[in-house]
Amino acid sequence: MTALSPARHRPLADALLPRTAVVSTALVLGGALLTAGAAQVSVPLWPVPITGQTLAVLLVGSALGARRGAMSMLVYALLGVVGLPVFAAGSAGVGVLVGPSGGYVVGFVAAAALVGWIAERFGDRPLRNAALSFTLGTVVTFAAGMGWLAVSLGLDLQQTLEYGLYPFVIGGAVKALVGAGVISLGWTAAVRSATRR
């Protein structure tokens, strides 16, 4: 059995790097910074813009695993709360979390944890596994985001779906597929690298 055998499911980061406290800390911070950078890639729509955040969240959760993925998203949220311009369009502050888009940020933590858990329990090396995992992560993000959007703006169900789901379904599906492809390619590269050693 090789170190990359499918019989031992683990996140991609653990197949490439040693799992030490220093490496894990660096990965958590790196995941938060990746999400912050992706958040600046934005297509403006009201009340919640389409951004690269969700793609980064899925990649971070899958690559780092449940605990480190969720911690990375918590660090991301904390960076924004203390005033660093890491949220969409360079926004920051507690106001973002209590505003219409705050539920999506909270949902990032749950989505990263879920996608990471799936990677650890069932593996995400095959594209179909990764695509299913990323789709579920996207659903979790939407559910948390729409719930808070409805409360924040006093929307009914139809309005919540119109503002918080319908405009983002295609983008969410595309990001889930792109992310699954990236993780699958990452595993392919990791396996090739291991066989050359």
Side-chain angles (χ1 to χ4, degrees):
M1 182 183 302
T2 68
L4 296 177
S5 169
R8 296 180 59 208
H9 299 303
R10 56 188 174 161
L12 180 59
D14 289 347
L16 300 171
L17 300 166
R19 188 162 186 158
T20 66
V22 172
V23 169
S24 290
T25 300
L27 289 171
V28 166
L29 292 174
L33 294 176
L34 173 67
T35 307
Q40 308 319 309
V41 179
S42 177
V43 177
L45 287 176
W46 188 91
V48 181
I50 296 177
T51 70
Q53 284 170 303
T54 50
L55 175 58
V57 169
L58 298 171
L59 290 171
V60 168
S62 183
L64 303 190
R67 183 176 298 174
R68 290 178 300 183
M71 286 185 65
S72 188
M73 293 306 104
L74 285 171
V75 169
Y76 167 71
L78 182 60
L79 291 174
V81 166
V82 300
L84 295 178
V86 298
F87 296 138
S91 59
V94 177
V96 174
L97 291 184
V98 298
S101 62
Y104 293 92
V105 177
V106 174
F108 294 163
V109 179
L114 174 62
V115 172
W117 180 83
I118 292 171
E120 292 168 344
R121 296 300 185 279
F122 305 103
D124 60 0
R125 195 184 306 182
L127 181 61
R128 67 181 179 279
N129 287 19
L132 177 59
S133 169
F134 281 30
T135 299
L136 292 173
T138 300
V139 169
V140 166
T141 300
F142 281 158
M146 288 190 302
W148 182 244
L149 183 68
V151 170
S152 176
L153 298 178
L155 305 178
D156 61 27
L157 177 59
Q158 185 58 38
Q159 291 170 321
T160 301
L161 293 174
E162 287 177 4
Y163 297 143
L165 178 64
Y166 298 154
F168 311 117
V169 170
I170 293 175
V174 168
K175 285 185 275 188
L177 290 174
V178 168
V182 169
I183 285 294
S184 184
L185 288 173
W187 273 111
T188 299
V191 170
R192 286 180 182 166
S193 176
T195 57
R196 291 194 192 109
R197 295 175 193 161

